[in-house]
């Protein structure tokens, strides 16, 4: 295993963690957007 | 049986249709700056391994130094968060005096900034400890900066405990936590700026201020790292404030329903 390959493997760990966090934040963001829309709708009713 | 059930089903359907018509369901589009946060942070992670070269003077040919792309922005953000928390707390107190409406939004913003300050302070402590373990041979050395970050953590933790202890009285909670955020600014700034300069520290102090101290390959990753972490901080703070507002709205609605039922 070359040094470059080891570096790539080590790099994959924070990269996967970051992608997980990023998409998790996007999901929360979208869910809140929906909730806020529903709230506005309820207020208008 | 069918005739008994059919009016109920029709009523529910009618309610569903009328609610769908009245609620404006705007489509969700990922804002550009949030997508940019994802891209810049990914660049920083790749850059930490493949753009930045091993730093001279660091252990194991600079391999351990890669953690500074995450440790330094976390440490800087933990002090910026305090300023943000202080700013909104002071604004809350000023508005409280001048306006009749309770400015809870500023309280939520201040609280969100302090919560994130605690999170980034914790991350800076953990990454710093790992770095110290590799570079200085011990995970904890009671260096002035290490000691001051622990006291900063305690300052943040006290704020969070103060809020949690008064969670049932929102107005008292907001007022007390705002006063704490304003008063604790003095010890916080003393810990961040004065302590490491008064006492001898193992931490480098001129790495960021002196441009000759950092190589171009490090600047190419470190500066985008600051941008990515600041954007992430703004995103997390925005989410937290929105969550607090939704929760408050939900609590208010539940209280109103209970009062109506009681009558």
């Amino acid at each position: 295993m070359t040094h470059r390959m080891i570096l790539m493997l080590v790099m994959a760990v924070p990269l996967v963690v970051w992608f997980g966090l990023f998409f998790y934040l996007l999901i929360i963001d979208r869910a809140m957007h929906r909730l806020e829309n529903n709230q506005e709708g309820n207020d208008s009713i | 049986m069918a005739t008994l059930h059919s009016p109920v089903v029709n009523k529910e359907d009618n309610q569903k249709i009328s609610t769908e018509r009245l609620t404006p369901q705007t489509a969700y589009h990922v804002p550009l700056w949030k997508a940019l946060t994802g891209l810049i942070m990914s660049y920083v992670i790749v850059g930490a391994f493949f753009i930045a070269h091993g730093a001279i003077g660091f252990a194991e040919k600079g391999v351990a130094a890669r953690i500074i792309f995450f440790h330094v922005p976390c440490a800087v953000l933990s002090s910026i968060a305090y300023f943000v928390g202080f700013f909104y707390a002071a604004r809350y107190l000023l508005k409280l005096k001048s306006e009749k409406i309770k400015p809870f939004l500023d309280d939520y913003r201040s609280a969100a900034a302090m919560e994130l300050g605690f999170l980034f302070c914790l991350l800076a402590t953990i990454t710093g400890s790992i770095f110290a373990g590799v570079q200085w041979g011990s995970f904890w050395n009671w260096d002035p900066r290490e000691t001051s970050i622990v006291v900063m953590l305690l300052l943040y933790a006290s704020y969070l405990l103060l809020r949690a202890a008064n969670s049932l009285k929102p107005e008292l909670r907001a007022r007390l936590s705002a006063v704490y955020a304003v008063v604790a600014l003095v010890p916080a700034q003393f810990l961040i700026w004065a302590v490491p300069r008064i006492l001898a520290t193992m931490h480098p102090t001129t790495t960021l201020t002196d441009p000759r101290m950092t190589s171009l390959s490090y600047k190419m990753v470190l500066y985008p790292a600051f941008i990515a972490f600041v954007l992430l901080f703004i995103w997390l703070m925005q989410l937290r404030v929105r969550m607090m507002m939704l929760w408050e709205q939900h609590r208010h609605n539940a209280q109103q329903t209970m009062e109506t039922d009681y009558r």
Side-chain angles (χ1 to χ4, degrees):
Chain A
M1 225 178 200
T2 59
H3 179 68
R4 198 176 168 79
M5 275 177 77
I6 295 166
L7 270 185
M8 279 179 93
L9 280 173
V10 177
M11 185 197 72
V13 178
L15 207 58
V16 167
V17 170
W18 167 243
F19 283 149
L21 179 72
F22 179 70
F23 287 111
Y24 180 63
L25 287 176
L26 277 183
I27 289 164
I28 294 175
D29 206 43
R30 197 181 63 168
M32 267 197 208
H33 179 79
R34 275 186 191 166
L35 279 170
E36 282 162 351
N37 270 342
N38 285 342
Q39 201 80 53
E40 279 169 26
N42 289 344
D43 289 347
S44 67
I45 289 166
Chain B
M1 286 296 279
T3 47
L4 270 172
H5 280 253
S6 53
V8 179
V9 172
N10 284 340
K11 197 182 172 185
E12 275 179 357
D13 281 346
N14 284 342
Q15 273 181 346
K16 198 181 169 188
I17 291 158
S18 63
T19 317
E20 275 171 3
R21 274 180 194 159
L22 284 164
T23 49
Q25 288 290 333
T26 49
Y28 175 76
H29 300 290
V30 179
L32 185 69
W33 68 273
K34 286 174 186 170
L36 212 64
T37 310
L39 277 174
I40 301 173
M41 193 63 95
S42 307
Y43 163 80
V44 169
I45 294 168
V46 176
F49 288 89
F50 292 104
I51 294 172
H53 304 302
I56 300 158
F58 282 105
E60 293 177 26
K61 294 175 186 172
V63 170
R66 294 180 205 284
I67 208 165
I68 67 160
F69 300 118
F70 309 98
H71 168 68
V72 178
C74 281
V76 171
L77 266 181
S78 67
S79 56
I80 290 175
Y82 205 95
F83 276 109
V84 178
F86 162 78
F87 172 76
Y88 285 116
R91 213 164 79 158
Y92 170 82
L93 290 172
L94 287 171
K95 277 186 185 174
L96 197 68
K97 218 177 175 185
S98 59
E99 291 173 23
K100 282 181 180 174
I101 313 155
K102 299 280 177 284
F104 276 115
L105 187 61
D106 285 333
D107 171 56
Y108 294 155
R109 282 172 178 160
S110 174
M114 297 296 263
E115 283 173 10
L116 287 172
F118 180 76
L119 174 74
F120 282 104
C121 204
L122 197 67
L123 286 173
T125 312
I126 294 166
T127 50
S129 183
I130 296 168
F131 192 23
V134 179
Q135 184 65 26
W136 299 328
S138 167
F139 288 102
W140 202 260
N141 306 284
W142 292 110
D143 181 75
R145 246 184 227 277
E146 287 177 343
T147 313
S148 64
I149 208 164
V150 168
V151 184
M152 270 295 284
L153 263 177
L154 292 174
L155 273 176
Y156 276 128
S158 314
Y159 176 90
L160 299 180
L161 277 174
L162 183 71
R163 276 189 82 82
N166 294 292
S167 58
L168 294 174
K169 298 167 190 164
E171 281 176 36
L172 182 70
R173 179 186 66 183
R175 211 167 53 240
L176 281 178
S177 51
V179 170
Y180 178 90
V182 170
V183 171
L185 182 80
V186 181
Q189 295 318 301
F190 179 74
L191 289 165
I192 296 164
W193 305 107
V195 170
R197 279 163 182 80
I198 293 169
L199 302 163
T201 173
M202 289 192 284
H203 270 81
T205 48
T206 54
T207 314
L208 294 172
T209 49
D210 188 355
R212 290 167 299 173
M213 293 293 287
T214 320
S215 72
L216 182 68
S217 70
Y218 261 66
K219 280 179 198 164
M220 278 168 69
V221 184
L222 192 60
Y223 296 151
F226 278 115
I227 297 168
F229 272 90
V230 167
L231 287 174
L232 182 66
F233 178 85
I234 295 168
W235 189 1
L236 289 171
M237 190 172 153
Q238 190 205 51
L239 280 178
R240 188 73 184 109
V241 172
R242 282 163 69 193
M243 199 179 277
M244 284 180 187
M245 283 169 74
L246 279 170
W247 177 248
E248 184 55 36
Q249 190 68 42
H250 173 74
R251 199 181 64 84
H252 180 73
N253 290 348
Q255 206 171 3
Q256 273 190 335
T257 316
M258 270 176 72
E259 279 170 12
T260 318
D261 290 350
Y262 185 70
R263 280 174 200 154

